[in-house]
Amino acid sequence: MIVGDKLDMSIETDMRLAHGADIAKELRHRVFLKCNYTVSAGISFNKLLAKFASAKNKPNRQTILPFSAVPELMKNVPLRKLRGLGGKLGKQIEQLGVHTAGEATKLDMDTLERKLGKRKIADFVYKCVRGLDETEVVERESTKSLLAAKNFKDENSLITVEKQWLPLLADELNNRIIADSEANSRDARTLTISFRAKMTNGYGRVNASRSTTMPQTSNLKRTGAIVAAALLVLKTAFCKESQFAFPISFIGLTATNFSERATQGESIRSYFDIADQKSGKSNDFDSPKKALSSADREEEYRKRVQESADRELALKLHREESSRGIRKTRTQNSNRALKRPGPKRRKRSAEFMTVDMFFKPKNRKT
């Protein structure tokens, strides 16, 4: 589907959009054959417009958005739907009395700069509401998270979630973790449980999530461990915290926080090789030894003999000094024992002595 007028193949930009549409069609077909998933696609001049075009005709459709149709498309798009304008920045712009991208195009650069304070931010908003996006498309090396989720048409109780849906979602997530581990040699460290439920304070339905440590078990036991961990989180959120109330209309399990796993072929020698490379030292553990001539062998033998003699001499001197120190310590201790004074007698000061002390009669036996 094409938004706006038909493409003019005499124009280079429209010709590029047509080629992009052919590539997107082929990719969607390959995804369906391999994964049995339907895919929607958007073809335009940048990431922002392609995203809006892909959401225009879902499901299993692709949409071409030429630049001539951009003003009509962006006219009724809410500011909150634009990338980067969903938070505080979007609220600041709404304070000027605008709520859609079409209304924001009437604001000039000076007005935006006075309101937002910085020229760079004002320039970003000025281009964004007009469908201009200069960010490059970067190839994603690996996914940051793995998700298995389910939306319920009929609201479910905890028993239904525990007996029916958690085992299915945990098994699907475990299969994705195994495939990702084999492809990227990494392990997930965090398990996030997301759900949609009612608030006990009467504020209606809310989306909430809780995180816990991913069970580090074998592939066969991981499914049951994920079910147990998710069930514990749900019981804590609904029973102990008492913030949420059943029934549940959505449940999701996400594996995140990946870390690389060391390969089995790595050894301690490779660790020291990496450390030596960082420090600039050379590691010649595996370097071939050169053949020595007879003269070199004799010289090496003399050096070893001399080193051995030096070690023996040093050891002998150390022993003599140690024994001399022991004898000296014993002599000092004996001298202290001989010079040790006896118990001191208490002496009275002269100023406290009286005449009666000298003429005190002795006690005589009768």
Side-chain angles (χ1 to χ4, degrees), residues 267-288:
S267 61
I268 191 171
R269 179 173 294 182
S270 63
Y271 169 79
F272 285 109
D273 290 340
I274 296 173
D276 291 337
Q277 290 176 4
K278 291 182 179 180
S279 61
K281 298 179 180 179
S282 61
N283 189 351
D284 54 353
F285 289 146
D286 298 328
S287 59

Side-chain angles (χ1 to χ4, degrees), residues 35-245:
C35 305
N36 199 24
Y37 289 150
T38 59
V39 180
S40 298
I43 302 95
S44 191
F45 295 95
N46 53 52
K47 292 167 58 176
L48 176 66
L49 296 178
K51 182 178 180 181
F52 280 113
S54 65
K56 190 71 176 176
N57 297 288
K58 285 188 176 183
N60 197 21
R61 294 286 189 276
Q62 65 182 47
T63 305
I64 301 175
L65 179 61
F67 202 77
S68 59
V70 172
E72 185 65 24
L73 176 67
M74 300 292 292
K75 182 172 63 175
N76 298 321
V77 174
L79 289 177
R80 300 293 182 89
K81 295 291 184 180
L82 297 176
R83 183 183 63 86
L85 302 183
K88 295 181 179 179
L89 184 58
K91 292 180 180 179
Q92 287 181 321
I93 301 173
E94 288 179 351
Q95 292 176 0
L96 297 174
V98 296
H99 300 279
T100 63
E103 295 174 352
T105 55
K106 299 177 182 179
L107 301 175
D108 57 4
M109 181 68 72
D110 295 334
T111 304
L112 291 173
E113 186 176 0
R114 285 195 302 269
K115 180 61 180 177
L116 303 177
K118 293 184 179 180
R119 183 78 177 183
K120 186 176 181 180
I121 300 177
D123 182 67
F124 167 76
V125 175
Y126 184 86
K127 293 180 179 179
C128 186
V129 297
R130 288 167 173 79
L132 303 176
D133 186 11
E134 298 177 354
T135 57
E136 297 181 359
V137 178
V138 181
E139 183 179 358
R140 184 180 297 177
E141 297 181 356
S142 58
T143 57
K144 296 182 179 180
S145 62
L146 301 175
L147 171 66
K150 177 66 178 177
N151 277 299
F152 305 118
K153 294 182 179 179
D154 299 327
E155 296 176 336
N156 288 265
S157 63
L158 179 61
I159 297 177
T160 307
V161 171
E162 177 185 359
K163 300 296 183 182
Q164 182 177 356
W165 295 112
L166 276 183
L168 292 176
L169 295 176
D171 185 62
E172 181 180 353
L173 181 63
N174 186 31
N175 293 334
R176 295 183 180 182
I177 291 175
I178 294 173
D180 181 82
S181 178
E182 294 176 354
N184 301 315
S185 298
R186 60 179 187 171
D187 297 319
R189 300 297 180 186
T190 304
L191 173 65
T192 302
I193 299 91
S194 306
F195 54 89
R196 185 187 304 117
K198 294 181 179 180
M199 294 289 290
T200 55
N201 54 12
Y203 283 104
R205 300 177 186 274
V206 293
N207 294 321
S209 62
R210 298 290 186 272
S211 297
T212 185
T213 304
M214 175 66 73
Q216 301 299 321
T217 59
S218 62
N219 295 335
L220 296 176
K221 297 181 180 180
R222 188 183 292 116
T223 299
I226 291 176
V227 172
L231 188 60
L232 178 61
V233 169
L234 290 176
K235 287 183 177 180
T236 303
F238 283 85
C239 300
K240 292 185 178 181
E241 298 179 7
S242 300
Q243 296 180 1
F244 309 99

Side-chain angles (χ1 to χ4, degrees), residues 276-316:
D276 291 337
Q277 290 176 4
K278 291 182 179 180
S279 61
K281 298 179 180 179
S282 61
N283 189 351
D284 54 353
F285 289 146
D286 298 328
S287 59
K289 295 183 178 180
K290 298 180 180 179
L292 299 178
S293 61
S294 58
D296 294 336
R297 284 197 296 269
E298 291 178 0
E299 181 66 23
E300 185 177 357
Y301 176 74
R302 282 196 296 269
K303 288 182 179 180
R304 291 182 179 179
V305 171
Q306 184 64 33
E307 290 175 358
S308 178
D310 293 341
R311 284 197 297 269
E312 291 180 359
L313 179 60
L315 182 60
K316 183 178 180 181

